[in-house]
Amino acid sequence: MIENNNARGLVFNIQKYSVHDGPGIRTIVFTKGCGLRCRWCSNPESQNREPELAYNQGRCLGTDKCTRCFKACPNGALSRREDGFVAIDRGKCAGCKDMPCAEACPAQGIIVYGKPYTVAEALKVAQEDAMFYARSGGGMTISGGEPLLQSEFALNLLRLARERRVKTCIETCGLVPTDVVREAARYLNHVLFDIKHMDPEVHKKHTGMPNDLILKNFQTLVTEFPGLPVTARTPVIPGFNDHGPDIKAICDFLKPFGHVKYEMLPYHRLGTQKYTFLDRVPPMGDVTLDDKKFAALQKIAAATLGDRVIIPR
């Protein structure tokens, strides 16, 4: 990797004061782009590598009161719907780099997911909360999407953070070149690594890709860097991996790696509204995960991995 503090990445959010994405209080840098298309994804705005226009009708003033976005759009992609709100022709939107309609909207009804940052700019935002990191053992987490897809940006951000004594963590699905995983490990204090399913065909059906590279990268990470704390995480999804044998297979895979912790994350629908903002239909529909079933799956995991299973108190 060539050291470059001016390497640029596309970021769709920088979230402060998180306590769920690594040890302590953390700032999370969310990057754009992912090689998977998980049906349950709670960050659909993270999937594509390019900036995306989103429309929050609840914030829009309505076209009877405001048409600033119409006048700002250079491609004629915006029009009035019968109900008085805005319709977006996303075909005409494609290739628009500046998306001036979002800047013109006074109510932030139109927003852009994806803003370019240099490594130095992103870390500057993260370092604003350095006092909280020191007190809590926290730091900076890079997430996505899959942050290692933007490898030059992610690796340089991790490197610079460590040089500035900011503790680092990454949330990864593992679907990246193995050499990138090795390089990232050099600059990490903690890894959150998704293991979603052990069957490659089931994995492909629900995420769009098989899991062979993912499992290879996990094994490479935990065997070549045994001193690096790793937490394997499984989002428990109805109809995908919410049966005992699914969880047992994952735990059997993890059992030989004694330093790896395991955390199960119950399915939630918190990202549903963002699909609407992007004119997409939420793939999971209205399904929910039963609390009792999730608790039973946690017991199955604990029977195999013991106190390596993280169970929220």
Side-chain angles (χ1 to χ4, degrees):
M1 179 190 69
I2 299 175
E3 295 187 6
N4 181 7
N5 294 349
N6 291 315
R8 296 172 72 85
L10 199 63
V11 174
F12 69 89
N13 190 21
I14 299 181
Q15 177 183 317
K16 296 188 175 186
Y17 311 118
S18 173
V19 295
H20 300 293
D21 300 279
I25 297 172
R26 312 195 69 82
T27 293
I28 311 175
V29 179
F30 289 93
T31 63
K32 289 272 283 174
C34 186
L36 299 179
R37 289 296 181 268
C38 302
R39 298 180 64 249
W40 57 89
C41 181
S42 60
N43 289 328
E45 74 276 30
S46 75
Q47 294 175 350
N48 295 330
R49 287 287 296 268
E50 302 298 325
E52 290 179 277
L53 203 65
Y55 176 56
N56 183 346
Q57 181 177 310
R59 287 182 173 271
C60 180
L61 300 175
T63 58
D64 292 337
K65 296 180 180 178
C66 177
T67 56
R68 294 184 186 180
C69 59
F70 290 5
K71 298 171 184 177
C73 176
N75 300 325
L78 308 179
S79 60
R80 184 184 185 279
R81 298 192 322 222
E82 290 186 1
D83 62 3
F85 289 100
V86 177
I88 302 175
D89 184 332
R90 294 189 177 274
K92 294 180 179 179
C93 243
C96 182
K97 295 182 178 180
D98 297 327
M99 297 188 177
C101 56
E103 186 175 348
C105 178
Q108 294 186 315
I110 295 179
I111 58 176
V112 178
Y113 288 129
K115 175 184 175 181
Y117 279 80
T118 67
V119 166
E121 288 169 343
L123 187 60
K124 182 180 178 180
V125 176
Q127 284 189 293
E128 291 172 357
D129 300 309
M131 68 176 68
F132 297 104
Y133 306 156
R135 293 175 182 176
S136 68
M140 179 192 71
T141 298
I142 55 173
S143 184
E146 171 47 61
L148 292 178
L149 278 185
Q150 297 190 53
S151 59
E152 183 186 18
F153 175 76
L155 293 174
N156 275 287
L157 181 56
L158 293 171
R159 172 194 55 78
L160 186 61
R162 290 298 298 272
E163 289 177 4
R164 302 279 176 83
R165 300 185 184 279
V166 175
K167 292 183 178 179
T168 58
C169 178
I170 193 170
E171 292 184 290
T172 180
C173 73
L175 191 67
V176 294
T178 303
D179 287 347
V180 174
V181 174
R182 287 192 178 102
E183 183 73 15
R186 297 173 51 200
Y187 308 113
L188 285 164
N189 295 108
H190 199 102
V191 178
L192 304 173
F193 198 116
D194 272 14
I195 303 291
K196 299 177 174 69
H197 207 288
M198 294 307 297
D199 186 303
E201 292 302 320
V202 175
H203 194 280
K204 183 176 181 178
K205 179 180 178 181
H206 290 263
T207 71
M209 295 292 290
N211 62 358
D212 51 341
L213 179 58
I214 292 168
L215 298 181
K216 174 190 174 183
N217 283 339
F218 181 84
Q219 290 173 304
T220 297
L221 182 72
V222 298
T223 55
E224 295 186 12
F225 301 89
L228 177 60
V230 175
T231 300
R233 302 202 299 183
T234 299
V236 179
I237 310 300
F240 171 56
N241 60 5
D242 62 335
H243 295 93
D246 302 326
I247 299 302
K248 182 64 165 59
I250 293 172
C251 292
D252 287 342
F253 170 73
L254 296 174
K255 189 173 182 179
F257 310 114
H259 68 288
V260 174
K261 299 289 187 181
Y262 183 52
E263 184 176 20
M264 298 164 62
L265 307 173
Y267 170 70
H268 61 76
R269 299 177 59 206
L270 297 180
T272 300
Q273 189 177 46
K274 290 187 283 188
Y275 284 91
T276 304
F277 292 169
L278 294 167
D279 291 331
R280 302 183 200 168
V281 177
M284 292 294 292
D286 295 327
V287 300
T288 57
L289 179 66
D290 181 74
D291 291 342
K292 292 182 179 179
K293 187 171 191 178
F294 182 73
L297 294 173
Q298 286 186 312
K299 290 181 180 179
I300 291 173
T304 301
L305 298 178
D307 61 5
R308 291 164 56 187
V309 177
I310 299 171
I311 299 179
R313 303 296 180 185

